[in-house]
Amino acid sequence: MRGYLFWSQQRKKNKVDQHRRDVQFAVGDWVFLKLKPYRQWSVARRRNEKLAPRYFGPFEVLERIWKVAYHLKLSDTSRIHVVFHVSHLRQVTGSRTTIPNLPATLIEDMEVLLQSGEVKGVRQCGVVREVLIRWKDLS
């Protein structure tokens, strides 16, 4: 009983599979880690997000967990989980150049943990009020 629903599902699956990549890393390989941009705009509001670093690392692969998850050797100061999906990893090619380490204030939900300090200034831009705050570093 292969009707219209089955063929429709097959077409969608084939279309999605065109964009998938089969990537595997061995223990000891070096990879870059891609993190989501900050969710808090007030903390990391940049004029141009395209210029912000996308990948952090390189980090060493310590263990392969099933087919799509890898255990990475992160720095001792990082506060995030050490197991990542393969879609967040990129193979290091060429010489290993150091890219900025993970922010020390990054927590498991991929959000930056900061505490507000003193208010430095306030300005009104149309209907939007902008506040300049000096943030305290919690690291």
Side-chain angles (χ1 to χ4, degrees):
M1 186 173 135
R2 292 187 176 185
Y4 177 75
L5 185 60
F6 174 78
W7 295 114
S8 177
Q9 289 172 343
Q10 285 301 107
R11 276 196 310 270
K12 289 182 183 241
K13 182 187 179 314
N14 291 338
K15 191 69 173 171
V16 169
D17 286 345
Q18 290 176 356
H19 298 286
R20 290 195 174 135
R21 56 190 179 102
D22 182 28
V23 179
Q24 296 179 1
F25 303 108
V27 173
D29 284 352
W30 290 85
V31 295
F32 289 117
L33 175 62
K34 181 178 183 179
L35 296 175
K36 295 178 184 177
Y38 299 137
R39 294 180 188 170
Q40 302 170 348
W41 278 34
S42 61
V43 174
R45 190 173 197 173
R46 293 188 176 98
R47 189 171 297 272
N48 191 345
E49 281 289 328
K50 292 193 308 186
L51 300 178
R54 289 186 188 178
Y55 294 95
F56 293 91
F59 299 107
E60 185 179 5
V61 175
L62 295 180
E63 178 185 7
R64 181 178 178 184
I65 303 170
W66 292 94
K67 292 182 179 180
V68 294
Y70 290 90
H71 179 189
L72 300 182
K73 181 179 180 181
L74 300 179
S75 62
D76 295 334
T77 59
S78 65
R79 298 181 187 179
I80 60 175
H81 201 273
V82 294
V83 177
F84 294 94
H85 191 266
V86 71
S87 64
H88 295 282
L89 305 175
R90 291 275 187 229
Q91 179 77 37
V92 173
T93 57
S95 63
R96 287 195 310 264
T97 57
T98 304
I99 294 183
N101 288 331
L102 297 173
T105 56
L106 191 67
I107 59 176
E108 275 194 42
D109 295 335
M110 300 298 182
E111 293 182 1
V112 176
L113 181 65
L114 294 175
Q115 184 177 8
S116 61
E118 59 180 307
V119 175
K120 301 295 276 183
V122 178
R123 72 178 180 186
Q124 190 78 24
C125 296
V127 295
V128 177
R129 177 178 290 167
E130 295 180 349
V131 180
L132 179 61
I133 297 176
R134 170 171 247 132
W135 297 95
K136 294 180 184 175
D137 189 12
L138 297 177
S139 58

